[in-house]
Amino acid sequence: LYSADPESCAVKKNRFPVITGYPLYAAVKSGNEETAAFLLQNGACLSSYILVDHPETTKHLLRNHFTETETPASQASEESALCLRWSGLRLPWLELDWFIDIAVRITELDLSKNCLTSLPSIIPWGLTHLIKTDLSSNRFTELPSTQSSEEILCTSLKEFNVSSNELSSLPSGLLHLGKLQRLIAAKNHLETLFK
C-alpha cells in the first residue's frame, strides 16, 4: 500500500498517509495485487467502483490469485486446465472479457457467495471443458438460456449447483447434458422445473 496515492486515498497525518477510503480500492488503484489479494482473502469485497475504475487490474487479480492451474498427466502437451475459485468475493457482475481467452481451459467454475444477478452468455453453455459449476448463494432470478441444443458446448458438465438463489425455473438446456450427475437447486423459488 505504500505506493497508494495519498491525495486520493488518504490524508497526511504527520509524515505518513493514513488511508481514509476503502483499503481494497487503494490497493487496486496503486497496483498492489498482493495486498489486494490478501484483503480479498480476508473478507474485503470487490465493489462496483473497483470493477468500473480498474477493470484490467481486477481481471489480473482474479486470474493471478483466485485461479488454480491443473496439468493433466496424460495431456502434458496441452494447455493447463483452469479452476476459477471466485467464491465469496461479493462480485456484483462478471465481464465477458474475463472469460473469452481462457474459456476452453476452464474445467471448474466456483462463483458461489457473490452478488450476481446475471451471467455472461458464455456461462455455462460456451465453456467446452467445464465439469463442475457452483453458482450457489447469489441473486439469480434466471440463468442464460439456449435456443437449441446446438448452442450447448459444455457437454462434459457433471455437477451444477444453483442453490440459494431466486430462480423460478431452471434453463431447459440442462436437459441436454447427458453427463450431468448432480443438479443442486435447493432454496430457490421454483414454480416450474424447466422453462
Side-chain angles (χ1 to χ4, degrees):
L1 240 46
Y2 295 115
S3 63
D5 178 15
E7 299 303 319
S8 62
C9 300
V11 294
K12 288 185 180 182
K13 188 169 186 174
N14 298 331
R15 295 183 337 196
F16 301 102
V18 176
I19 295 176
T20 57
Y22 295 105
L24 180 58
Y25 188 91
V28 170
K29 183 173 182 170
S30 67
N32 192 328
E33 279 190 30
E34 294 299 322
T35 301
F38 173 81
L39 291 168
L40 285 167
Q41 290 163 351
N42 288 281
C45 305
L46 279 168
S47 69
S48 56
Y49 296 109
I50 293 171
L51 271 60
V52 169
D53 294 347
H54 306 285
E56 282 302 309
T57 304
T58 302
K59 178 180 172 180
H60 290 274
L61 183 64
L62 290 170
R63 287 191 181 181
N64 294 338
H65 297 280
F66 299 93
T67 301
E68 296 175 10
T69 305
E70 295 180 357
T71 305
S74 63
Q75 301 170 343
S77 63
E78 292 185 23
E79 287 191 272
S80 301
L82 297 177
C83 300
L84 278 56
R85 309 253 189 250
W86 299 356
S87 175
L89 301 175
R90 306 209 21 101
L91 286 161
W93 69 76
L94 303 171
E95 295 289 341
L96 180 60
D97 179 53
W98 298 350
F99 300 93
I100 292 296
D101 59 324
I102 60 171
V104 297
R105 296 175 54 203
I106 299 171
T107 58
E108 291 186 32
L109 180 61
D110 185 354
L111 297 171
S112 63
K113 300 175 188 159
N114 281 296
C115 300
L116 301 172
T117 57
S118 64
L119 292 170
S121 58
I122 198 168
I123 299 173
W125 313 118
L127 303 176
T128 55
H129 294 98
L130 190 62
I131 296 170
K132 183 179 179 182
T133 303
D134 190 344
L135 303 173
S136 65
S137 301
N138 278 286
R139 298 177 182 163
F140 296 117
T141 56
E142 65 180 4
L143 296 172
S145 60
T146 58
Q147 300 300 317
S148 72
S149 61
E150 294 170 357
E151 296 176 25
I152 301 170
L153 305 177
C154 60
T155 56
S156 299
L157 190 62
K158 293 180 181 178
E159 186 174 324
F160 194 71
N161 185 349
V162 290
S163 62
S164 299
N165 279 289
E166 301 168 16
L167 298 170
S168 58
S169 66
L170 300 173
S172 60
L174 293 172
L175 296 170
H176 298 281
L177 300 173
K179 294 183 180 178
L180 189 65
Q181 298 171 358
R182 192 168 184 202
L183 172 61
I184 306 165
K187 296 184 181 177
N188 276 289
H189 306 290
L190 295 175
E191 295 170 5
T192 58
L193 197 51
F194 295 102
K195 184 176 174 183

